[in-house]
């Protein structure tokens, strides 16, 4: 299994999990043409697209997906995005399948209609936690092998930007109530059993309120795991084991 990042952040989010025969798209925040190019135009292997919520950096290009590709999201997200024949409403806590992927959506804490994270399992990748645009996760997860988790900002950087006038008070307050901080990300990771985890990928870092190198080094030191910061064009082995 390979993980490819097409975008991660406020300019647009999209990730591809793929092997030789299947591809699962996570988020529709970049043009579908970018998805096509990343798959060498073999879009017949796409088994579905997961959309976490309706904000444009996650769903803005969802209507570009061909009708034969099912798009999975909450009913609340679909209503905000506008109807499409390939939309498939899924419910928190109810497992569904897309090809060989087994997926359980779960509710997250964000300023959107009905936002989801996803617990994804595939025989090659093992169990993957995907959690973005949420200020915390109330529950731990069992049997994790790979993790994609938001580390949007760090409090000291955010507060300095407020003091300098780079960030408004309104944006600061919205950030605190809708995105996961580096500190909460670290606490969340350490609250889970990481013994079987191969990769931790930090996603959706703020352009203004983060430090990618420090975030990566800090999480790596605290967890002892291989840590990546998602960036456009990044492609890594995302198997259950390092091999």
């Amino acid at each position: 299994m390979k993980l490819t990042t097409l975008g991660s952040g406020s300019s647009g989010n999209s990730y591809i999990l793929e092997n030789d025969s299947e591809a699962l798209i996570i988020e529709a925040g970049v043009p579908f043409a970018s998805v096509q190019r990343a798959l060498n135009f073999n879009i017949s292997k796409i088994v579905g697209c997961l959309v976490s919520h309706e904000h444009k950096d996650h769903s803005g290009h969802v209507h570009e997906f061909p009708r034969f590709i099912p798009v999975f999201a909450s009913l609340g997200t679909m209503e905000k995005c506008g109807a499409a024949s390939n939309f498939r409403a899924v419910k928190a806590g109810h497992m569904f399948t897309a090809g060989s992927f087994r997926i359980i959506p779960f509710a997250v804490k964000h300023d959107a209609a009905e936002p989801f994270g996803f617990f994804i399992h595939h025989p090659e990748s093992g169990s993957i936690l995907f959690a973005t645009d949420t200020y915390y996760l109330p529950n731990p997860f069992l049997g994790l092998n790979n993790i994609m988790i938001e580390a949007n900002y760090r409090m000291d950087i955010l507060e300095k930007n407020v003091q300098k006038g780079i960030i408004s008070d309104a944006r600061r307050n919205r950030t605190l109530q809708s995105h996961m901080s580096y500190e909460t990300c670290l606490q969340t990771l350490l609250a889970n059993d990481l013994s079987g985890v191969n990769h931790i990928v930090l996603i959706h870092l703020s352009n203004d309120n983060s430090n990618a190198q420090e975030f990566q080094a800090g999480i790596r030191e605290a967890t002892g795991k291989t840590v990546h910061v998602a960036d456009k064009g990044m492609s890594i082995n995302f198997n259950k084991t390092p091999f």
Side-chain angles (χ1 to χ4, degrees):
M1 186 66 62
K2 179 174 71 172
L3 169 68
T4 300
T5 298
L6 302 184
S8 185
S10 58
S11 61
N13 297 270
S14 185
Y15 313 88
I16 301 176
L17 290 170
E18 67 167 315
N19 58 18
D20 289 340
S21 59
E22 294 182 310
L24 179 69
I25 314 303
I26 307 175
E27 307 287 45
V30 304
F32 185 68
S34 298
V35 177
Q36 291 178 294
R37 287 193 294 271
L39 294 173
N40 292 318
F41 297 92
N42 183 15
I43 63 172
S44 63
K45 71 189 291 187
I46 301 175
V47 296
C49 175
L50 311 180
V51 176
S52 64
H53 65 290
E54 73 270 16
H55 292 162
K56 295 302 183 183
D57 56 328
H58 298 263
S59 73
H61 298 273
V62 68
H63 292 288
E64 298 172 13
F65 278 71
R67 292 183 179 180
F68 69 85
I69 298 175
V71 175
F72 302 98
S74 69
L75 182 60
T77 296
M78 291 183 178
E79 289 175 344
K80 290 292 186 179
C81 289
S85 61
N86 58 339
F87 278 6
R88 305 286 185 271
V90 294
K91 295 181 179 180
H94 292 248
M95 188 186 77
F96 65 94
T97 60
S100 301
F101 294 90
R102 291 186 287 120
I103 303 149
I104 303 175
F106 57 89
V108 297
K109 307 293 184 180
H110 191 57
D111 57 349
E114 191 182 358
F116 278 166
F118 298 101
F119 187 75
I120 304 165
H121 183 85
H122 188 278
E124 292 181 17
S125 63
S127 295
I128 301 168
L129 170 63
F130 177 82
T132 188
D133 291 58
T134 181
Y135 58 85
Y136 81 105
L137 294 175
N139 301 309
F141 296 82
L142 298 176
L144 291 173
N145 301 114
N146 290 289
I147 298 173
M148 302 170 68
I149 187 169
E150 180 178 45
N152 184 258
Y153 67 97
R154 199 173 66 201
M155 279 302 304
D156 63 317
I157 302 175
L158 178 63
E159 295 295 3
K160 285 180 181 178
N161 283 335
V162 172
Q163 293 171 8
K164 292 177 181 178
I166 299 171
I167 303 295
S168 67
D169 287 338
R171 182 177 167 190
R172 172 194 181 275
N173 294 338
R174 192 252 168 181
T175 298
L176 296 179
Q177 296 171 14
S178 60
H179 287 285
M180 185 175 288
S181 68
Y182 167 84
E183 294 86 352
T184 300
C185 173
L186 178 56
Q187 292 170 3
T188 301
L189 290 168
L190 295 179
N192 284 273
D193 179 4
L194 302 179
S195 59
V197 170
N198 187 21
H199 294 282
I200 297 171
V201 181
L202 305 180
I203 61 176
H204 210 291
L205 274 67
S206 165
N207 291 332
D208 297 317
N209 303 314
S210 68
N211 184 308
Q213 290 182 339
E214 292 181 3
F215 284 20
Q216 182 181 26
I219 298 293
R220 182 174 58 228
E221 181 178 357
T223 64
K225 296 296 177 178
T226 300
V227 180
H228 311 265
V229 174
D231 196 13
K232 183 178 179 180
M234 184 188 80
S235 184
I236 61 173
N237 178 319
F238 220 52
N239 285 340
K240 187 175 181 178
T241 69
F243 310 105

